[in-house]
Amino acid sequence: MSRDPLAEYRKKRDFGRTTEPKGKRRSGKKNPVFVIQKHDATNLHYDLRFEVDGVLKSWAVPKGPSTDPREKRLAMPTEDHPLDYADFEGVIPEDEYGGGTVMVWDIGPYRNLRADKDDDGATMGEALDEGKVEVALAGKKLKGGYLLVRIGKGKKPRWLLRKLDDDAADARRNPTSTENKSARTGRTMKQIAKDEG
Ligand code: MN
């Protein structure tokens, strides 16, 4: 395995053509961040990323997150991204890897809920290795607990994302369809494409 956690990220991109960050591996701030980027690539999806040990651990969630605890959403792991990717909003050129518009759909600090558990305690690194991540999000759109569980084994494991049944759970809300502006700039996907395309 490569020593540089961002080697795969860099290999896939031509930084002479895309405005995505090259990425410096710097140590994280005190409060780790999560980001969900709406990405209008070949297939529209939502990229879920958590700051862990100096990089953004990443999954592509085809249907995006739900606030209904009964809804399980498929999440496919993707390569680690640099921390400064959390602020990236713009247009990746069509013929480049991941070509299409990217919006910072939600962003904020998160907490590892397993950190304080006596019986089921784990760091984020351990939780990822075990395939069971429990976090509390403090985003602009998403709040409260989420569970991310790895299902199956092999080279391309799938994960499932589900809202925990807490005060922020709401089966009637449908944020991916009704809340479609950038958490960073207030722009719609169309406006981002127009401004930066
Ligand atoms: Mn993507």
Side-chain angles (χ1 to χ4, degrees):
M1 228 172 79
S2 169
R3 275 285 185 82
D4 177 3
L6 297 175
E8 186 183 348
Y9 172 85
R10 293 202 182 93
K11 207 170 107 192
K12 286 180 167 170
R13 291 168 175 81
D14 177 354
F15 294 104
R17 294 187 46 83
T18 181
T19 57
E20 294 166 289
K22 264 186 225 166
K24 305 176 277 281
R25 189 162 185 252
R26 54 186 162 88
S27 59
K29 292 161 283 180
K30 245 184 288 163
N31 295 318
V33 298
F34 83 96
V35 63
I36 299 175
Q37 280 155 321
K38 187 173 181 177
H39 186 185
D40 190 9
T42 314
N43 296 299
L44 181 78
H45 61 273
Y46 292 78
D47 290 300
L48 170 64
R49 313 187 197 280
F50 293 105
E51 176 181 349
V52 180
D53 299 334
V55 294
L56 293 174
K57 292 288 171 187
S58 300
W59 292 259
V61 184
K63 293 173 92 175
S66 174
T67 51
D68 181 349
R70 292 167 307 182
E71 284 275 328
K72 294 187 180 102
R73 295 287 161 89
L74 179 66
M76 307 298 290
T78 55
E79 77 274 19
D80 294 350
H81 278 50
L83 289 185
D84 41 2
Y85 206 94
D87 290 321
F88 176 73
E89 187 165 276
V91 177
I92 302 167
E94 275 312 318
D95 48 350
E96 292 299 304
Y97 178 73
T101 306
V102 177
M103 169 200 281
V104 176
W105 185 78
D106 202 12
I107 189 166
Y110 80 90
R111 214 156 41 80
N112 170 18
L113 290 173
R114 290 187 61 191
D116 330 309
K117 288 192 177 174
D118 290 334
D119 52 339
D120 197 25
T123 64
M124 277 299 279
E126 290 164 347
L128 287 164
D129 285 345
E130 290 169 18
K132 185 185 168 201
V133 171
E134 276 181 75
V135 288
L137 307 182
K140 296 198 174 155
K141 296 184 175 83
L142 301 185
K143 315 261 188 207
Y146 274 83
L147 177 67
L148 192 55
V149 176
R150 186 169 59 217
I151 48 166
K153 289 179 182 156
K155 282 211 163 166
K156 292 216 162 175
R158 298 141 72 90
W159 293 62
L160 292 175
L161 174 70
R162 173 170 84 69
K163 179 80 191 79
L164 291 175
D165 200 356
D166 56 21
D167 288 350
D170 186 346
R172 288 158 307 177
R173 232 180 113 195
N174 192 2
T176 49
S177 62
T178 60
E179 299 167 48
N180 46 28
K181 287 183 180 165
S182 166
R184 234 196 83 205
T185 62
R187 294 182 295 180
T188 62
M189 291 295 270
K190 263 190 187 165
Q191 286 167 327
I192 295 165
K194 190 163 160 264
D195 294 350
E196 318 225 10

